[in-house]
C-alpha cells in the first residue's frame, strides 16, 4: 500500500524534535517508527535496533507493562489516551517529567479498523518567567509545595490563585502543561524523590510525608510513574 501523502515529511519532522519523543506501533505492539529522542531513552543507540521490537524488549517490566496496557486500551476502544503524566529518564540519565498522548491509527480500507498506535511524549521543561499567568499561579504552586502531606483540592488552588477552577485548569495547562491534579501529583512525587535520595527516612514515613494513605499505595503510584519502586529508585541513586 502506498505511503499516504505527507507521511514521509511528517516522520522527517518528528526526527528533528529533541524535546518530544515519538513512536508508532503496529497492532502487535512492535515499533514501526521512532525518532532519535525516543531511541535515547532506551538502551539502544540506533533506530534500527529499536524497530521491530516491543516495549518488553526495551524497558524495565513495570514500564513495559504500563505501555502495553495503554496501547491495548487504545487499540480496543479506538479512542485516544491524552495527557498521561510520566517520569522518564532523559538521554543524560536524569529523570524528567513528560506528558504522553497516544492516538489510534485507522485503516479506512479495512472498515476503519484500528491497526496501530502513534505516541508523543513532551518534555515538561520549566515554565517561561515572562508568562503573565505565572504570578497568580505562583500562589497556588506555593500552596501545593507547602503541603505535600495534605494535597490541596483544586478548589483550594483556585482560591489561592484568585480564579475559578476552569480558569486555573486552562492556565496550569498553558504554563506547566499539566492539569492541577497532575501538578499536585508531580510535586508530591518530586518531594518523595528528594527524600529517597537525600535522606535515610523509612519508606513508610516518606509515604506519609507525601500524602499517601500507606506505603503500598505510595509504592504503586511511584512505580506506575517511574517504572521502578521507591526502594529501587533509592538504591540506584546511591
Amino acid at each position: 500500500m502506498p505511503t499516504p501523502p505527507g507521511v514521509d515529511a511528517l516522520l522527517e519532522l518528528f526526527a528533528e524534535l529533541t524535546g518530544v519523543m515519538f513512536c508508532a506501533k503496529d497492532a502487535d505492539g512492535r515499533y514501526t517508527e521512532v525518532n532519535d529522542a525516543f531511541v535515547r531513552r532506551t538502551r539502544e543507540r540506533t533506530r534500527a535496533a529499536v524497530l521491530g521490537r516491543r516495549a518488553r524488549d526495551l524497558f524495565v517490566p513495570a514500564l513495559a507493562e504500563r505501555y502495553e496496557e495503554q496501547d491495548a486500551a487504545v487499540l480496543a476502544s479506538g479512542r485516544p489516551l491524552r495527557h498521561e503524566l510520566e517520569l522518564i529518564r532523559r538521554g543524560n540519565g536524569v529523570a524528567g517529567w513528560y506528558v504522553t498522548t497516544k492516538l489510534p491509527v485507522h485503516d479506512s480500507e479495512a472498515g476503519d479498523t484500528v491497526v496501530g498506535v502513534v505516541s508523543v511524549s513532551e518534555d515538561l521543561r520549566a515554565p517561561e518567567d515572562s508568562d503573565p499567568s505565572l504570578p497568580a499561579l505562583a500562589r497556588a504552586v506555593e500552596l501545593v509545595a507547602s503541603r505535600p502531606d495534605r494535597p490541596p483540592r483544586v478548589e483550594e488552588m483556585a482560591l489561592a490563585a484568585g480564579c475559578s477552577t476552569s480558569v486555573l485548569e486552562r492556565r496550569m495547562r498553558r504554563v506547566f502543561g499539566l492539569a492541577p491534579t497532575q501538578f499536585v501529583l508531580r510535586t508530591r512525587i518530586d518531594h518523595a524523590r528528594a527524600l529517597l535520595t537525600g535522606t535515610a527516612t523509612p519508606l513508610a514515613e516518606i509515604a506519609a510525608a507525601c500524602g499517601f494513605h500507606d506505603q503500598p499505595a505510595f509504592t504503586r503510584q511511584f512505580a506506575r510513574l517511574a517504572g521502578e519502586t521507591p526502594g529501587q529508585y533509592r538504591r540506584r541513586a546511591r
Side-chain angles (χ1 to χ4, degrees):
M1 184 170 57
T3 302
V7 170
D8 288 340
L10 187 59
L11 293 175
E12 184 177 351
L13 178 63
F14 276 121
E16 296 296 321
L17 298 176
T18 57
V20 177
M21 295 181 298
F22 164 79
C23 71
K25 299 179 184 178
D26 62 21
D28 293 325
R30 296 187 183 277
Y31 292 100
T32 57
E33 291 289 348
V34 296
N35 66 354
D36 289 340
F38 183 91
V39 174
R40 286 194 293 271
R41 67 165 302 211
T42 72
R43 298 185 181 92
E44 303 299 339
R45 296 186 177 183
T46 65
R47 292 176 61 251
V50 173
L51 298 181
R53 301 175 72 183
R54 294 186 172 95
R56 70 191 72 167
D57 303 321
L58 301 168
F59 302 108
V60 296
L63 278 182
E65 182 178 342
R66 183 184 182 201
Y67 297 155
E68 290 173 354
E69 287 178 353
Q70 291 174 342
D71 296 341
V74 173
L75 288 167
S77 68
R79 293 192 296 270
L81 180 71
R82 300 185 187 276
H83 309 304
E84 283 288 305
L85 184 64
E86 297 183 302
L87 185 62
I88 295 175
R89 293 198 177 283
R90 300 189 177 104
N92 59 6
V94 177
W97 289 103
Y98 288 72
V99 167
T100 296
T101 292
K102 295 189 174 186
L103 304 177
V105 177
H106 297 270
D107 184 353
S108 58
E109 295 185 5
D112 212 26
T113 303
V114 180
V115 295
V117 175
V118 291
S119 171
V120 290
S121 297
E122 181 183 2
D123 193 346
L124 296 176
R125 300 291 185 175
E128 295 288 339
D129 292 338
S130 60
D131 193 294
S133 298
L134 198 55
L137 288 180
R139 295 190 291 272
V141 169
E142 290 169 3
L143 175 65
V144 176
S146 69
R147 289 171 40 184
D149 59 330
R150 294 181 295 111
R153 295 177 293 107
V154 174
E155 291 79 6
E156 294 178 86
M157 295 172 64
L159 182 63
C163 62
S164 66
T165 56
S166 59
V167 170
L168 178 71
E169 173 93 18
R170 291 196 298 272
R171 290 177 176 175
M172 291 288 288
R173 286 197 181 278
R174 185 176 72 245
V175 175
F176 296 101
L178 295 170
T181 52
Q182 290 177 313
F183 182 85
V184 171
L185 178 59
R186 185 182 78 171
T187 302
R188 294 163 65 198
I189 294 296
D190 281 343
H191 184 51
R193 291 166 61 201
L195 293 175
L196 288 168
T197 58
T199 75
T201 306
L203 297 183
E205 293 182 21
I206 293 178
C210 298
F212 292 94
H213 176 67
D214 54 26
Q215 184 177 333
F218 169 51
T219 297
R220 286 193 300 271
Q221 187 70 282
F222 193 97
R224 186 182 72 83
L225 292 169
E228 57 188 346
T229 67
Q232 291 170 330
Y233 185 90
R234 170 175 271 174
R235 288 192 294 272
R236 184 185 46 72
R238 289 180 174 178

